[in-house]
Amino acid sequence: MTLITTRPGPGAARPYRFPQVVRRAVAGGQVVAAHLPGQNLAVALLLLDGGAGREPVGKEGLGGVLAKALEEGTAQRDATAYALAIEALGTELVTGLDWDSFQVSVQVPVDRLSAAVELLAEAVRTPKLDPADVLRVRDDEATALRMDWANPGPRADAVLRGDIFGTDNRWGRPMYGDPDSVAALDVDDVTVFHSEWFIRPGTLIVAGDLDRLDLDALGAAAFAGTAGGPVEKGGPIEVPPHGQRRVILVDRPGSVQSTLRLGHPSPHRAHPDYVPMTLAGTVLGGAFTSRLNHLIREVRGYTYGIRGDFASSRRFGRFAISSGVQTAVTAPALVETVGEVSRTQLTGVTEEELAVARSWRAGQLSVELQSPRAIASALTTLVVHDLPDDYHARLRESLLAADVDQVSAAAAAHLHPESLTLVVEGDSAVIRDELVAAGLGEVVDHTP
């Protein structure tokens, strides 16, 4: 048997063509659509400016509870009748929540889209929100979060976010809340949040064969009975990196593994360095062939996998690394990881590494942007982040045109190894002394 140790080179990124974007104002709202000629399926997505960032501090989790409550019937039909109506069209309501938006969508054959949009609007604009249903949904969500938070990871994620952004800010708390914040919500919290953010028109995203669709009629159905205009989105939030690196230890007695979360703030989504910054993150930790995965997994054997990347929303972003390692190698894994971030920040990337990252990122576009739902998701990116209509049409060329100097400059500007917060969730009694001895920064114990 012959073992081949040389990685294959990157293949050529396949071309793709993003459909033309159509915009129009309808009934107080906006319709943004993409023409997919001959496509028999169509997607309609109602995009509302009611993301997690709109939740008051101390009321985290409102969006998640409201998303589930939309399935509990409307002012016109009880839950069973509504479920039968939506199922008769061969579809379902799909909800989504991020920092910037709340999304509700349907996917149906083209000739059923008008009826599906009417049912979507009925659920979003006039949900029943029966107090008993809301409390049951809230309790179910709190229970699900308790089960999730019993596993390694969610606490470490929350501690990292809080240290980067500050827990006195909504964006410094978990996007979906925590078990306590969700359990403390009451019916008025949910109904008030709905009245503030779900009656505004928003934007209707449509992806399908526009020759067979009436965008004006779809918009009129989606925006019927709405009031209020768009609200101030707010500019980018300036979050300065910490002045020095530190380690926060989240005690998990008896744990045989340590959960690692490292991070610092980074630019918002519409920042001009988005493409080179993304490619720098890909080389460092955003792909299986990345530097971090090669070193920490393949060379050192400390983990099954490690990932690091930039993630960004409309107003802020963060660079973060996540992994899990055996307790015995917690300190050396952290030392090696921080060292690799420092090396990338100081020396940049090589042409060979960048060629792989460019090919992979550009090639993904031809795979990911194929279905009506994927096209609808891409359109939401344009709306949420105020990007030009030809953004996706030019994205492949932007990725392939990025050179070593640009990507290395982005790594130098947006990686801050000296400012990293290192969160370690593990057995404090076993790993604390080694973390102190590693000299990565001040070691502090997390106090819930």
Side-chain angles (χ1 to χ4, degrees):
M1 180 181 293
T2 302
L3 295 178
I4 300 174
T5 58
T6 302
R7 289 175 176 169
R14 294 183 179 182
Y16 84 104
R17 178 177 297 174
F18 195 81
Q20 184 176 359
V21 178
V22 176
R23 292 179 183 255
R24 63 181 61 178
V26 179
Q30 184 183 48
V31 177
V32 179
H35 182 37
L36 307 179
Q39 175 63 252
N40 288 321
L41 284 178
V43 168
L45 183 153
L46 185 59
L47 181 66
L48 301 173
D49 191 351
R54 296 297 190 185
E55 297 172 350
V57 173
K59 302 292 184 180
E60 298 83 24
L62 274 171
V65 172
L66 186 50
K68 294 296 178 64
L70 295 182
E71 303 172 3
E72 300 297 325
T74 70
Q76 295 89 342
R77 317 165 205 246
D78 62 21
T80 300
Y82 186 84
L84 290 173
I86 202 84
E87 288 174 7
L89 297 177
T91 189
E92 62 178 341
L93 287 183
V94 177
T95 58
L97 174 75
D98 57 28
W99 289 108
D100 303 315
S101 67
F102 189 101
Q103 307 169 16
V104 189
S105 65
V106 288
Q107 177 174 269
V108 291
V110 174
D111 58 0
R112 300 180 185 177
L113 190 63
S114 179
V117 168
E118 290 179 2
L119 284 173
L120 181 156
E122 181 181 322
V124 172
R125 310 304 190 182
T126 60
K128 188 176 182 181
L129 297 184
D130 180 88
D133 292 335
V134 172
L135 294 177
R136 174 172 47 79
V137 167
R138 177 204 65 186
D139 292 344
D140 287 347
E141 288 296 288
T143 298
L145 282 171
R146 288 190 191 98
M147 295 173 64
D148 187 39
W149 281 56
N151 299 312
R155 278 201 300 165
D157 290 330
V159 171
L160 177 61
R161 175 166 290 279
D163 190 70
I164 292 175
F165 297 110
T167 55
D168 55 338
N169 299 308
R170 175 60 188 96
W171 47 89
R173 300 183 179 213
M175 182 189 297
Y176 297 104
D178 59 45
D180 293 335
S181 72
V182 172
L185 297 174
D186 60 30
V187 175
D188 285 344
D189 294 328
V190 177
T191 56
V192 168
F193 190 74
H194 177 270
S195 68
E196 288 180 342
W197 301 107
F198 282 57
I199 306 302
R200 299 177 187 274
T203 301
L204 182 68
I205 305 291
V206 179
D209 188 341
L210 301 187
D211 291 337
R212 300 160 62 190
L213 295 170
D214 185 338
L215 293 182
D216 291 330
L218 292 174
F223 306 137
T226 60
V231 295
E232 176 60 41
K233 293 181 178 181
I237 297 167
E238 296 298 330
V239 184
H242 291 325
Q244 59 185 5
R245 194 166 52 229
R246 69 172 181 156
V247 181
I248 303 177
L249 186 50
V250 180
D251 192 21
R252 191 176 181 86
S255 179
V256 298
Q257 288 194 0
S258 293
T259 298
L260 311 181
R261 299 290 189 268
L262 295 72
H264 60 63
S266 66
H268 59 99
R269 175 62 175 80
H271 193 279
D273 282 350
Y274 175 76
V275 166
M277 191 170 66
T278 297
L279 290 169
T282 302
V283 170
L284 175 58
F288 190 79
T289 56
S290 70
R291 288 179 173 183
L292 283 173
N293 206 56
H294 176 72
L295 176 63
I296 307 300
R297 171 191 161 99
E298 297 179 29
V299 177
R300 302 302 185 206
Y302 291 157
T303 183
Y304 282 113
I306 183 170
R307 185 172 183 84
D309 59 10
F310 291 94
S312 51
S313 67
R314 185 168 61 208
R315 304 187 68 193
F316 57 86
R318 65 98 183 106
F319 172 76
I321 296 171
S322 61
S323 187
V325 300
Q326 289 186 352
T327 297
V329 298
T330 301
L334 283 171
V335 170
E336 297 274 18
T337 298
V338 172
E340 198 63 46
V341 177
S342 297
R343 181 170 78 91
T344 303
Q345 194 266 343
L346 288 171
T347 65
V349 303
T350 68
E351 178 57 44
E352 182 180 7
E353 291 172 319
L354 181 55
V356 174
R358 281 190 305 237
S359 174
W360 181 57
R361 287 291 183 186
Q364 275 187 311
L365 298 176
S366 61
V367 176
E368 293 176 349
L369 297 178
Q370 291 292 323
S371 68
R373 191 169 289 282
I375 297 296
S377 178
L379 293 177
T380 66
T381 300
L382 302 184
V383 174
V384 170
H385 302 292
D386 296 320
L387 298 171
D389 287 350
D390 64 347
Y391 175 81
H392 292 292
R394 294 184 292 104
L395 182 56
R396 179 178 181 273
E397 287 69 27
S398 298
L399 288 164
L400 294 176
D403 60 31
V404 168
D405 289 341
Q406 292 172 318
V407 176
S408 296
H414 302 301
L415 289 174
H416 305 286
E418 74 289 349
S419 301
L420 281 166
T421 295
L422 285 61
V423 177
V424 183
E425 183 178 1
D427 192 335
S428 177
V430 176
I431 62 179
R432 195 179 201 286
D433 290 345
E434 290 189 2
L435 290 174
V436 172
L440 291 169
E442 179 188 9
V443 177
V444 298
D445 297 302
H446 171 62
T447 303

